[in-house]
Amino acid sequence: MARPKSEDKRNAILDAATRVFAERGLTDAPTSEISKQAGIAEGTLFTYFKSKDDLINALYREIKLELADAMMSGFPRKKGVRIRLRHVWDGYVNWGVTNPEQRNVLAQLGVSGMLSKESIEAGSAPFVEMYNTIHDAIEQHILRADVPIELISKVLAALAEAIMDLILLKPAMANKYRNSGFEVYWAGIARK
């Protein structure tokens, strides 16, 4: 009879995969190194994840859930659009600065072509409320209707990434960068 799977071992594997992928990249990271850093036998890794692709997809979903928690926890549903988007912005920037390895791996995963359709959908699901906020704000003429909704989301992500890089370079400027970055974002999407 097989031993029950341990949540601690699964988490150790995901943590080790994050470190190894951040250091070596997705394709150059051997499962033997992930297993070694997780403190388990390589065969044990495959007890938890059928393949490296399965591990990659599980890690993507895990990181997206952590990011969603940072961005959407305490989401101010009853506040104005600007306040809600600022909440999302701050959560994303703070998460990225605090979790550089996860941020690095998430960026790699996003362009890898290795993610399943199901993983991509699962990764997007926790952000539905943010997308709905943007959609409703466009319909209410708060945000520009001439800018596609997916562009509004992508610009937020791209600009936030640039701000994270700047904060990591000059931590003393963190508040200035975070605030100015949001103002630039808002000026680009808000209806005049």
Side-chain angles (χ1 to χ4, degrees):
M1 184 170 159
R3 293 170 62 190
K5 292 181 182 175
S6 158
E7 192 66 26
D8 289 341
K9 278 188 185 174
R10 182 181 186 280
N11 290 338
I13 293 167
L14 292 171
D15 289 345
T18 300
R19 287 190 305 276
V20 174
F21 290 148
E23 181 182 311
R24 295 191 180 189
L26 297 175
T27 55
D28 292 336
T31 54
S32 59
E33 182 61 24
I34 294 168
S35 299
K36 180 180 170 185
Q37 288 200 27
I40 59 166
E42 189 170 5
T44 302
L45 184 145
F46 294 109
T47 300
Y48 287 82
F49 304 98
K50 295 176 193 156
S51 65
K52 187 175 178 182
D53 282 348
D54 188 37
L55 171 61
I56 284 170
N57 278 275
L59 182 59
Y60 173 78
R61 290 188 301 271
E62 191 74 22
I63 292 172
K64 289 291 277 195
L65 282 175
E66 288 176 23
L67 176 57
D69 187 49
M71 290 172 65
M72 302 307 294
S73 183
F75 187 70
R77 288 171 186 83
K78 297 189 189 282
K79 300 286 183 175
V81 172
R82 182 184 168 99
I83 292 170
R84 285 182 274 167
L85 289 178
R86 178 63 195 247
H87 176 87
V88 167
W89 170 270
D90 287 342
Y92 186 30
V93 171
N94 293 340
W95 177 87
V97 170
T98 307
N99 298 284
E101 286 182 331
Q102 288 91 334
R103 179 179 163 225
N104 174 319
V105 172
L106 189 59
Q108 291 181 56
L109 290 166
V111 297
S112 70
M114 302 168 97
L115 299 174
S116 69
K117 181 182 175 197
E118 294 79 21
S119 290
I120 293 168
E121 289 172 358
S124 296
F127 300 95
V128 167
E129 196 163 17
M130 182 184 79
Y131 297 125
N132 289 343
T133 294
I134 293 169
H135 181 268
D136 293 347
I138 291 169
E139 286 188 351
Q140 296 166 14
H141 306 290
I142 297 167
L143 299 181
R144 292 173 49 179
D146 62 323
V147 179
I149 191 168
E150 55 276 359
L151 182 58
I152 290 173
S153 296
K154 291 285 188 183
V155 167
L156 183 141
L159 190 52
E161 289 288 331
I163 297 305
M164 292 174 214
D165 290 341
L166 289 170
I167 290 172
L168 290 171
L169 286 172
K170 293 184 181 177
M173 295 286 293
N175 287 334
K176 178 77 170 162
Y177 289 144
R178 187 181 296 105
N179 294 334
S180 296
F182 183 77
E183 292 305 322
V184 168
Y185 174 64
W186 184 257
I189 65 169
R191 190 161 180 204
K192 308 295 187 253

